[in-house]
Amino acid sequence: MNVKTKGVAVGANPFSLWAVLAIVVLGALLFVALLWMIGTGIGMGTANDGKAHAEGKGLNGYAAMADYLERRGFAVEATRNPAALKRPGLLVLTPPAIIKGKEIDKIVSARRSIGPTLVIAPKWQPMPPIREQRDKAKKGWVRLGGESTLDWPGFLDELTLSDDTLPKAQAGWRADGIAGTLPTGTVQAGKGEGLVPLAVSRDGKLVLAGFMDDGGRYDGLDAMAQDGQHYIEGEDYDEGRYPVVMVFEPDLLDNYGMARIESAQLAEALVRATGVRPGGAVVFDMTLPGYGHAQNLLTLAFTPPFLAATLCLLLAAVAVGWRAFLRFGPPLVPERAIAFGKRALVSNAAGLVRRTRRFHLLGPPYADRARERLVAALALPRGVDAEHTDAAIDRALAARGADGEPFSVIAARLHAAGRSHDLLKAARDLHALERTLTR
């Protein structure tokens, strides 16, 4: 009896095949996406916390610079992976004031043969908005407190950093064909032997950005330098070294300064002067500000060359899932390993003979059984020896005018057959002879 409840048979599958497929595919995609996000660190929260780095949107951050360069055609990336600091292209370092100089020098020294490096010194101590402004302030907004104390022993020790306060009318800067104003009169500048100015104060006395003349041939920076051609003609240069550009005054490039178009032009000019053109890589470091994470197995799984193995595993999982989907539904009753009836008995006996390869034992019994059937069909006398019986069968075959080998010859072939091919050929011939005599 087929009992139904609200149009659905009891025991029937409540889900369609397509519904099950959609659930499984969606769940698998979400699981793979979760593994990818865990491995790459994407989706684990924003770093817009008011600090001076590429994802900071406060006055002291550099999100505006990163966004502007990306809109200008550069391949901009904010990386939290220490291994990415060794990629070709321009690396922008925004280290905090409390970092050790040796950590910066380790990164910069390793890149001298890989690509240029732009180091932006910190200046401000960020503070949260006052209570009256917190309701209107967006996430990441800060107030700029006093200037931070900068001490980086082990990194460019030949340079010194100084703080100067300029009148409002003189709080400006100029570079190669570009000039602008600073948001405040507090200026942070650097000085030291071998420092080549790239951006200076309006009166030219303070170096706000520059690079070290360390024997490398830096054509773009040389063209942008404020003191003109500083290379000595005929001198040997190390063309395998990439430059290190120091920006002592962060208000030239941070969000506070990028509110002015001149600062945006200066940012692009500095990037181009290092030899990077639109389409080239500009990597903003997030490890020194405290957002670095070491590689793990999930990170490696989604990173070449291990990505190929991950894709192979995913394809194998898809194949297994597809096979499982095709089998979805009530399981079929499996067939018996050994079937009932004569067919199973014959099949098992044939399998045994095949495995033992005793084919020579099959011919004589088959010929004897055929002889007995023909004796009964032709009404020949029983109890006669095989030789006389075979002769009688041959005479009956000749009386019918049938062509082909006589029974005695085929029986002799069956007795002598030792291979399966010879045995089958003789058995077929004997079966045809038997049909001829019994029709």
Side-chain angles (χ1 to χ4, degrees):
M1 181 175 63
N2 189 14
V3 181
K4 292 186 177 181
T5 304
K6 295 184 179 180
V8 180
V10 174
N13 192 346
F15 299 101
S16 67
L17 293 179
W18 293 111
V20 173
L21 179 63
I23 293 173
V24 172
V25 171
L26 181 60
L29 291 178
L30 290 177
F31 179 69
V32 173
L34 176 62
L35 294 181
W36 176 71
M37 293 173 66
I38 294 175
T40 58
I42 297 177
M44 298 298 140
T46 177
N48 181 24
D49 54 359
K51 295 182 181 179
H53 49 69
E55 296 186 18
K57 297 183 179 180
L59 293 176
N60 59 332
Y62 298 94
M65 177 184 175
D67 182 67
Y68 176 78
L69 292 177
E70 185 174 12
R71 292 172 183 267
R72 294 294 293 173
F74 296 92
V76 178
E77 176 188 359
T79 182
R80 306 184 185 191
N81 185 2
L85 303 182
K86 297 182 180 180
R87 297 177 186 172
L90 175 64
L91 175 65
V92 181
L93 298 179
T94 57
I98 60 175
I99 203 72
K100 294 182 180 180
K102 293 183 179 180
E103 295 185 29
I104 306 174
D105 185 72
K106 182 180 179 181
I107 297 175
V108 172
S109 299
R111 288 190 52 82
R112 296 309 300 269
S113 60
I114 300 175
T117 307
L118 177 67
V119 182
I120 306 177
K123 178 180 178 180
W124 303 108
Q125 293 183 355
M127 302 174 62
I130 60 177
R131 182 175 303 177
E132 292 77 8
Q133 297 177 345
R134 290 179 184 175
D135 294 338
K136 298 180 181 180
K138 295 183 179 180
K139 180 177 177 58
W141 284 15
V142 296
R143 290 187 299 118
L144 299 181
E147 298 182 24
S148 58
T149 302
L150 187 61
D151 185 20
W152 288 342
F155 175 65
L156 296 181
D157 293 329
E158 61 270 30
L159 299 180
T160 57
L161 201 64
S162 62
D163 297 327
D164 294 274
T165 302
L166 301 178
K168 185 71 174 179
Q170 299 181 11
W173 57 268
R174 58 183 175 85
D176 183 27
I178 312 172
T181 60
L182 293 171
T184 67
T186 303
V187 180
Q188 190 169 264
K191 60 181 179 180
E193 185 178 355
L195 178 62
V196 181
L198 294 175
V200 298
S201 59
R202 186 168 295 173
D203 56 9
K205 296 181 179 180
L206 303 177
V207 179
L208 308 184
F211 69 100
M212 297 300 296
D213 184 6
D214 55 4
R217 189 176 185 87
Y218 314 131
D219 296 335
L221 295 174
D222 178 51
M224 188 179 176
Q226 290 294 300
D227 60 351
Q229 188 77 16
H230 65 279
Y231 294 119
I232 302 175
E233 186 176 356
E235 184 178 352
D236 293 332
Y237 299 107
D238 184 2
E239 298 186 14
R241 291 169 63 86
Y242 287 89
V244 178
V245 178
M246 283 293 306
V247 178
F248 305 103
E249 175 51 70
D251 287 342
L252 291 175
L253 302 177
D254 59 16
N255 298 334
Y256 202 5
M258 288 289 288
R260 299 162 179 80
I261 185 61
E262 296 84 4
S263 293
Q265 294 172 347
L266 176 62
E268 184 175 359
L270 287 173
V271 173
R272 288 176 175 270
T274 61
V276 179
R277 297 292 179 264
V282 178
V283 180
F284 284 83
D285 168 57
M286 295 290 292
T287 63
L288 292 180
Y291 291 96
H293 61 82
Q295 287 187 332
N296 50 44
L297 292 179
L298 284 178
T299 304
L300 294 176
F302 293 96
T303 305
F306 305 102
L307 180 60
T310 303
L311 293 178
C312 291
L313 290 177
L314 292 177
L315 290 177
V318 170
V320 172
W322 180 249
R323 292 295 300 168
F325 170 72
L326 293 180
R327 186 216 174 274
F328 185 80
L332 299 177
V333 178
E335 296 182 356
R336 289 181 56 87
I338 301 177
F340 293 111
K342 298 179 181 179
R343 183 182 297 274
L345 182 61
V346 172
S347 177
N348 293 336
L352 179 61
V353 173
R354 188 185 302 112
R355 289 180 65 87
T356 57
R357 305 189 66 82
R358 300 297 181 90
F359 300 111
H360 62 282
L361 300 178
L362 298 178
Y366 188 81
D368 295 341
R369 289 295 299 162
R371 182 183 296 108
E372 294 176 1
R373 290 193 298 270
L374 288 175
V375 167
L378 298 176
L380 297 177
R382 298 178 179 274
V384 183
D385 58 15
E387 183 178 353
H388 290 85
T389 302
D390 293 349
I393 296 174
D394 292 344
R395 289 192 297 270
L397 181 63
R400 291 175 179 264
D403 297 331
E405 294 179 297
F407 177 84
S408 58
V409 175
I410 299 177
R413 285 169 52 198
L414 274 173
H415 279 266
R419 296 184 304 173
S420 60
H421 176 75
D422 298 337
L423 185 66
L424 289 174
K425 180 67 171 60
R428 290 193 184 100
D429 293 342
L430 184 58
H431 180 68
L433 184 147
E434 187 176 354
R435 290 185 61 186
T436 301
L437 292 175
T438 58
R439 280 188 298 186

